[in-house]
Amino acid sequence: MIPRIHEKIYFIIFGVLSNIPFFYLWFVTLWTIFAEMDIKKQGEMLELGTLLPLMEAFYTIQGEGYHKGSAAYFIRVGGCDVGCHWCDVKESWNSRLHPLTDVRKIVKDASNFSDTIVVTGGEPLMWNMEPLTTLLKEKNLRVHLETSGAYEVSGEWDWFCLSPKKNKNPKNKSYKIANELKVIVHNKHDFKFAEKESKKMNSKCKLFLQPEWSKRDQIMPLIVNYVMKNPKWKVSLQTHKYLKIP
């Protein structure tokens, strides 16, 4: 078998012998080599966390959980394999659809808007969050995370919101460090799931139940009744959707 670089050399020789313009083939071959080098470098930077697949970034009001009503800059990272059937950002799942972006640019843009940054997804912990959070902290920004906890924790967080899913259990560290447990309620069985997960949490963690948006009219009365009977829980709503903001 001929090594790939040798294949390119033979391609040039074949072009000359076949009367194909030599410089055209030379240009195409060099372009291919450099493109392959660039792809390899991007892959290495993605693994290190210095590049991230950025779906979107925007300044808005936090609509959910403990910090609802507070201004924050959101960084939505692409990539997720948890696969919730009711997910409202399924376009985030395929990381290849979103441009690889230098974390220095992400941080520079974020620092122009808010001192509170929310990293969400997708599932951010699919990637190494250390470079991103280090740069954000260097600018004295408060850094919040929204995660399913399905991957090992990386990065330094001022607020850790854990939203576990049935089909991919959180890693143990997520339970230990979470400031907030937010369980999405899609059906009655989710109350049992919520109680099961709450028993794994640290003692300081805040507990929230949030109706799945498409079933909010049916589920909300059940949550209200449940929280009144079990006051350790609080109600979370997607208030940003009521306000019609991102």
Side-chain angles (χ1 to χ4, degrees), residues 115-132:
D115 59 2
T116 299
I117 312 300
V118 180
V119 181
T120 187
E123 175 45 68
L125 293 182
M126 284 185 68
W127 316 105
N128 181 6
M129 290 286 107
E130 195 67 39
L132 177 64

Side-chain angles (χ1 to χ4, degrees), residues 150-163:
Y151 286 84
E152 295 294 343
V153 176
S154 59
E156 181 182 351
W157 308 100
D158 296 296
W159 191 263
F160 193 104
C161 176
L162 176 63
S163 185

Side-chain angles (χ1 to χ4, degrees), residues 38-168:
D38 189 53
I39 291 171
K40 181 180 179 181
K41 183 179 179 181
Q42 285 185 347
E44 292 171 349
M45 294 176 71
L46 181 62
E47 186 173 349
L48 290 171
T50 54
L51 286 181
L52 291 173
L54 181 64
M55 177 180 167
E56 59 182 346
F58 51 92
Y59 184 46
T60 188
I61 302 296
Q62 169 63 276
E64 305 177 8
Y66 185 82
H67 292 282
K68 66 181 179 297
S70 302
Y73 185 84
F74 279 70
I75 297 169
R76 189 181 302 281
V77 181
C80 183
D81 61 358
V82 179
C84 305
H85 65 90
W86 40 256
C87 177
D88 57 2
V89 280
K90 290 181 179 177
E91 60 270 29
S92 71
W93 289 5
N94 187 350
S95 63
R96 295 182 180 181
L97 298 179
H98 309 297
L100 294 180
T101 307
D102 194 311
V103 292
R104 292 172 296 184
K105 182 182 186 309
I106 296 174
V107 171
K108 181 181 178 181
D109 293 343
S111 63
N112 290 329
F113 289 91
S114 179
D115 59 2
T116 299
I117 312 300
V118 180
V119 181
T120 187
E123 175 45 68
L125 293 182
M126 284 185 68
W127 316 105
N128 181 6
M129 290 286 107
E130 195 67 39
L132 177 64
T133 60
T134 296
L135 291 175
L136 290 169
K137 299 295 287 181
E138 284 178 358
K139 290 186 175 293
N140 297 315
L141 302 176
R142 294 191 298 273
V143 190
H144 298 188
L145 175 67
E146 296 180 343
T147 178
S148 68
Y151 286 84
E152 295 294 343
V153 176
S154 59
E156 181 182 351
W157 308 100
D158 296 296
W159 191 263
F160 193 104
C161 176
L162 176 63
S163 185
K165 306 302 185 293
K166 296 175 184 176
N167 49 333
K168 200 158 189 178

